[in-house]
Amino acid sequence: MTDSSQKTYVHDTHRLRDPTHTLSIVQPFLREMGITRIANLTGLDRIGLPTVMVARPNSRSVAVSLGKGLSLQAAQASGVMEAIESWHAERVRLPQRLARHTDLADEATVVDVERLPKVTGAQFDPNSNMLWVEGRDLKSQRTCWVPLEMVDTDYTAAPLAGQRAFPRTTNGLASGNNDAEASCHAICELIERDATTLWSHQTTTARVDLGTVDDPRCQAAIEKVTGANLEIGLWNTTSDTGIASFRCVIGEAGGQPGHIGIGDGCHPDRAIALLRSVTEAAQTRLTYISGARDDLDPAEFTDQAQSDRCRYVRDLIDRAPPTENFQDCPTHLTQTFEDDLALLLNRLEAVGISQVVIVDLSRPEYDLSVVRAVIPGLEAPHDDADYIPGLRALQIRQETA
């Protein structure tokens, strides 16, 4: 695994290696990870932003991953790395401990369970045994124990020795060419989900004026959407962390029926954050068009469901005037992932979030890194069925009441 954290690829995301190099490195391991097919979905829609599906039939979670980018190679690398992340998280090999929280906290550092996301219908019992997995607190650089049920993604069975008290999702799961790169992507995903949730609790929001977007890559991606006679809405969802985050929605022009797209993106570089939201929205639309994901409910493909989604996008755009300036969004440009990591930790510390735990799921035989980030205090995705608002969301509700 590479030790350097110098960025060499900064086109549609930031990586240590360009997509072609990444694909050449992981290619020999795809079969043993159960990846059987990489299919180009781009031509199924008229937008033309590259999107692929990656099939892993014997998956213990979802059997299809999606990837996007500004080139086919970038989309392929994105989709393959997502599938690889899931494969690692389904097979956690790290040290684990069966213990009561009350006992474990007396002799070791444990994640702040009081600030972890809660789920509907469950309550954490500190006096009941459960499995914990080894992580690392980035601030103290000490071992920190995390509930295994927040890390393991083997959904073929109930969580082993778990309490089902915390979200069991892939939120904060990420990969990269080294630990710093993977950790930055994982932390940004958690910041993005938190920012989107906080934005969803606001009563009034304005859209980004597309004319203020000054990055050529973003302009080209937006033009692909509008050139396909589709409508696009962009919102600056950046939270108090000051790390750029955007939401993008795509729908048929004039409120005509059809598939929609919704995407979110977060990155220290505001242009990359916006670009990721646009390409993810295009990817979501293709997910519906292709029916590729095995976790899509058949009910989502009824005429009524499609009509409801179109109305949601139409209402979202109509009630938000395009008065926001893209250039008002904070941006941070760095040369290395170590600098990005320091920035992210500092911005989280500034809003009272000091514990960032990284669970390293990497395997020494592969020249890549896979991690799961756990950050007590950040909000979980608001659209999860069992979501319970945390302190940050409740504060927004009080301020807008």
Side-chain angles (χ1 to χ4, degrees):
M1 188 179 302
T2 182
D3 293 324
S4 169
S5 65
Q6 184 76 28
K7 300 174 183 178
T8 64
Y9 181 82
V10 293
H11 186 48
D12 44 10
T13 187
H14 288 185
R15 295 286 188 187
L16 296 180
R17 300 164 173 147
D18 66 62
T20 302
H21 189 186
T22 297
L23 288 168
S24 68
I25 288 172
V26 301
Q27 183 69 39
F29 311 118
L30 299 187
R31 176 173 297 206
E32 63 189 83
M33 293 181 183
I35 296 172
T36 62
R37 184 184 181 210
I38 304 171
N40 184 0
L41 301 180
T42 312
L44 297 180
D45 197 4
R46 61 185 192 271
I47 295 176
L49 286 170
T51 301
V52 305
M53 61 165 280
V54 178
R56 195 165 56 93
N58 291 325
S59 166
R60 298 172 186 175
S61 50
V62 293
V64 172
S65 300
L66 280 299
K68 73 278 188 185
L70 293 184
S71 68
L72 182 57
Q73 291 79 13
Q76 289 171 336
S78 169
V80 166
M81 292 299 274
E82 182 177 290
I84 288 173
E85 293 162 14
S86 296
W87 183 86
H88 279 75
E90 293 166 359
R91 297 161 174 81
V92 180
R93 287 187 173 179
L94 288 166
Q96 299 172 20
R97 293 184 63 172
L98 180 66
R100 297 173 175 83
H101 175 267
T102 49
D103 295 335
L104 187 59
D106 284 340
E107 56 184 84
T109 301
V110 183
V111 71
D112 186 352
V113 293
E114 291 300 319
R115 301 185 72 187
L116 291 177
K118 309 296 191 298
V119 295
T120 301
Q123 186 171 354
F124 173 67
D125 183 355
N127 295 303
S128 292
N129 269 328
M130 67 182 298
L131 274 175
W132 304 80
V133 64
E134 183 182 77
R136 176 171 53 93
D137 187 321
L138 292 186
K139 182 177 181 181
S140 67
Q141 292 298 315
R142 297 175 58 185
T143 295
C144 182
W145 295 89
V146 173
L148 177 63
E149 64 188 48
M150 289 195 71
V151 177
D152 169 56
T153 62
D154 182 353
Y155 301 149
T156 60
L160 183 64
Q163 296 188 20
R164 301 191 186 190
F166 306 105
R168 200 174 182 213
T169 68
T170 60
N171 194 21
L173 178 64
S175 57
N177 294 286
N178 73 358
D179 293 344
E181 179 186 319
S183 297
C184 287
H185 287 294
I187 294 169
C188 280
E189 181 167 276
L190 290 173
I191 291 175
E192 171 200 301
R193 304 287 167 77
D194 170 84
T196 304
T197 292
L198 297 181
W199 172 81
S200 75
H201 284 81
Q202 297 176 4
T203 54
T204 58
T205 60
R207 281 184 286 140
V208 173
D209 179 352
L210 300 183
T212 66
V213 177
D214 59 348
D215 181 83
R217 297 162 298 180
C218 295
Q219 291 171 340
I222 291 169
E223 287 169 5
K224 277 189 172 291
V225 177
T226 57
N229 196 31
L230 292 164
E231 204 158 1
I232 183 171
L234 285 164
W235 285 261
N236 178 0
T237 59
T238 307
S239 71
D240 53 355
T241 64
I243 302 300
S245 184
F246 290 90
R247 165 153 282 201
C248 175
V249 301
I250 295 172
E252 296 290 340
Q256 295 298 309
H259 292 291
I260 68 159
I262 299 178
D264 298 290
C266 175
H267 197 276
D269 180 346
R270 68 183 175 216
I272 297 296
L274 186 142
L275 189 60
R276 290 179 65 84
S277 73
V278 175
T279 56
E280 183 170 284
Q283 172 187 286
T284 303
R285 184 174 146 93
L286 264 168
T287 302
Y288 281 116
I289 291 172
S290 65
R293 283 284 291 245
D294 49 307
D295 58 345
L296 289 175
D297 192 301
E300 296 187 63
F301 291 90
T302 64
D303 290 343
Q304 183 61 53
Q306 183 171 297
S307 175
D308 290 344
R309 288 196 296 268
C310 289
R311 189 178 305 110
Y312 167 76
V313 167
R314 180 77 264 149
D315 291 346
L316 202 59
I317 292 176
D318 286 347
R319 68 171 182 258
T323 57
E324 289 280 331
N325 191 323
F326 169 69
Q327 295 165 49
D328 290 339
C329 180
T331 192
H332 307 272
L333 303 177
T334 72
Q335 301 300 311
T336 72
F337 284 104
E338 293 294 350
D339 289 340
D340 274 1
L341 195 54
L343 168 71
L344 294 171
L345 295 179
N346 287 337
R347 293 310 308 154
L348 288 168
E349 181 83 38
V351 297
I353 296 173
S354 58
Q355 191 176 50
V356 177
V357 183
I358 294 294
V359 181
D360 189 355
L361 303 172
S362 311
R363 304 225 180 164
E365 61 266 36
Y366 306 130
D367 186 16
L368 54 89
S369 178
V370 176
V371 305
R372 179 66 176 264
V374 178
I375 307 180
L378 290 184
E379 293 288 323
H382 69 285
D383 50 3
D384 283 354
D386 55 5
Y387 166 71
I388 294 178
L391 292 178
R392 286 166 61 78
L394 292 175
Q395 183 177 357
I396 293 288
R397 284 185 177 182
Q398 291 175 354
E399 292 172 353
T400 57

